[in-house]
């Protein structure tokens, strides 16, 4: 049965030949357009050429660590969603991968139908994003959601993928308070029960403040004690 009305492009990065072939065959049967890589080598070129919707990324690869590749992924327009598929089952590994830009994390062995469900969630997020406004304006701040670009007073600000997601989460709230639990669920796709997530939020929020508010008289990123965070401007 074909689940998709519009073909979705997926790159599987998995060095286990049995699993890699199984994923490619199973997802192809469901109507996805799938290619399979056993190594990181050549992967970036294919991403740039194919512009896939999603990458299924193993972490333990023969020619490099998946986390390092995840960190180096381009922030250019159309950055694909990434679901990590790995045998690493420690909470610290999951928090690290999500902090480096992964959109979801699935521990091996996993159920194929669960993987398909998670893929469909990421595709739905992309479809919802394409129907939403492409630019957000908050006072002197411009956020271009499709290009994943941020400018303040016309000056381009370089953000990591996770920093951009965090800023977009705050911006979409239109000045309302965003709780830590909302941030954990929207930005990292986990809840506050995971060890280390509060620290992860604090670290990324600190880095984001440094880039957005450094040297500015108006501090746009605000901490609302006991409630969460808000992105506000005096111009609003």
């Amino acid at each position: 049965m074909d689940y998709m009305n519009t073909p979705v492009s997926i790159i599987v990065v998995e060095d286990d030949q049995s699993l890699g072939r199984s994923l490619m065959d199973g997802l192809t049967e469901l109507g996805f357009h799938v290619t399979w890589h056993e190594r990181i080598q050549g992967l970036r070129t294919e991403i740039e050429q194919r512009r896939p919707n999603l990458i299924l990324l193993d972490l333990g690869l023969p020619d490099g660590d998946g986390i390092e590749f995840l960190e180096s992924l381009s922030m250019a327009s159309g950055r694909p969603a990434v679901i990590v598929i790995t045998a690493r089952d420690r909470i610290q590994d999951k928090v690290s991968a999500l902090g480096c830009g992964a959109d979801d994390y699935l521990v091996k062995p996993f159920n194929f139908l669960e993987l398909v469900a998670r893929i469909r969630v990421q595709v739905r997020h992309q479809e919802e994003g394409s129907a939403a406004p492409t630019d957000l304006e908050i006072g002197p701040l411009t956020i271009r959601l499709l290009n994943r670009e941020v400018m303040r007073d016309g000056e381009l600000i370089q953000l990591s993928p996770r920093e951009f997601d965090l800023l977009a989460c705050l911006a979409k709230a239109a000045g309302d308070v965003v709780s830590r639990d909302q941030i954990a669920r929207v930005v990292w796709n986990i809840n506050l029960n995971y060890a280390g997530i509060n620290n992860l939020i604090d670290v990324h929020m600190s880095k984001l403040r440094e880039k957005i508010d450094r040297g500015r008289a108006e501090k746009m990123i605000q901490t609302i004690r006991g409630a969460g965070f808000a992105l506000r401007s005096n111009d609003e």
Side-chain angles (χ1 to χ4, degrees):
M1 177 180 179
D2 188 341
Y3 280 83
M4 311 303 299
N5 294 322
T6 302
V8 171
S9 176
I10 298 176
I11 297 178
V12 176
V13 189
E14 171 57 64
D15 66 323
D16 183 307
Q17 292 194 1
S18 176
L19 178 57
R21 190 175 304 280
S22 176
L23 290 174
M24 185 175 68
D25 292 346
L27 292 172
T28 299
E29 186 176 344
L30 291 178
F32 298 97
H33 286 182
V34 185
T35 57
W36 167 34
H37 283 250
E38 296 180 50
R39 296 174 178 270
I40 292 174
Q41 182 179 6
L43 182 56
R44 189 176 300 283
T45 298
E46 180 164 357
I47 291 172
E48 293 173 353
Q49 292 176 347
R50 287 192 58 197
R51 297 291 182 181
N53 300 91
L54 185 138
I55 298 173
L56 299 179
L57 179 66
D58 187 19
L59 296 183
L61 297 164
D63 59 341
D65 187 79
I67 289 288
E68 294 178 2
F69 176 76
L70 190 58
E71 288 181 310
S72 69
L73 270 180
S74 171
M75 292 182 288
S77 174
R79 188 185 80 88
V82 178
I83 299 178
V84 169
I85 51 174
T86 180
R88 301 179 189 176
D89 59 357
R90 299 185 309 162
I91 291 298
Q92 294 92 326
D93 292 321
K94 182 171 186 177
V95 170
S96 175
L98 293 169
C100 289
D103 297 278
D104 202 350
Y105 192 102
L106 193 57
V107 176
K108 302 174 185 177
F110 50 80
N111 183 281
F112 179 70
L113 293 180
E114 180 183 358
L115 173 62
V116 172
R118 290 173 182 249
I119 290 172
R120 287 169 61 80
V121 167
Q122 295 303 323
V123 172
R124 186 165 65 248
H125 286 169
Q126 292 177 355
E127 291 173 344
E128 290 170 350
S130 65
T134 57
D135 290 352
L136 297 175
E137 302 277 351
I138 303 94
L141 199 65
T142 300
I143 303 170
R144 295 177 176 168
L145 298 174
L146 291 183
N147 294 334
R148 298 181 69 84
E149 292 180 348
V150 176
M151 292 185 293
R152 181 164 179 176
D153 294 320
E155 178 186 348
L156 187 65
I157 299 173
Q158 297 292 339
L159 300 181
S160 72
R162 195 62 70 189
E163 289 165 358
F164 181 90
D165 292 341
L166 179 55
L167 181 64
C169 177
L170 297 177
K172 289 174 182 177
D176 291 340
V177 177
V178 183
S179 70
R180 285 176 174 269
D181 188 57
Q182 287 175 296
I183 290 172
R185 292 177 184 277
V186 171
V187 179
W188 279 276
N189 199 32
I190 56 180
N191 59 47
L192 287 178
N193 293 329
Y194 285 100
I197 184 59
N198 273 302
N199 181 64
L200 195 60
I201 291 173
D202 289 336
V203 168
H204 280 77
M205 194 66 73
S206 176
K207 291 180 179 179
L208 187 60
R209 273 198 176 100
E210 177 73 9
K211 294 179 179 181
I212 298 298
D213 287 334
R214 180 179 57 188
R216 314 275 185 173
E218 180 186 10
K219 308 303 181 185
M220 297 184 66
I221 299 176
Q222 302 176 11
T223 299
I224 314 301
R225 189 174 299 277
F229 304 90
L231 181 68
R232 295 169 176 168
S233 171
N234 295 333
D235 296 339
E236 293 293 300

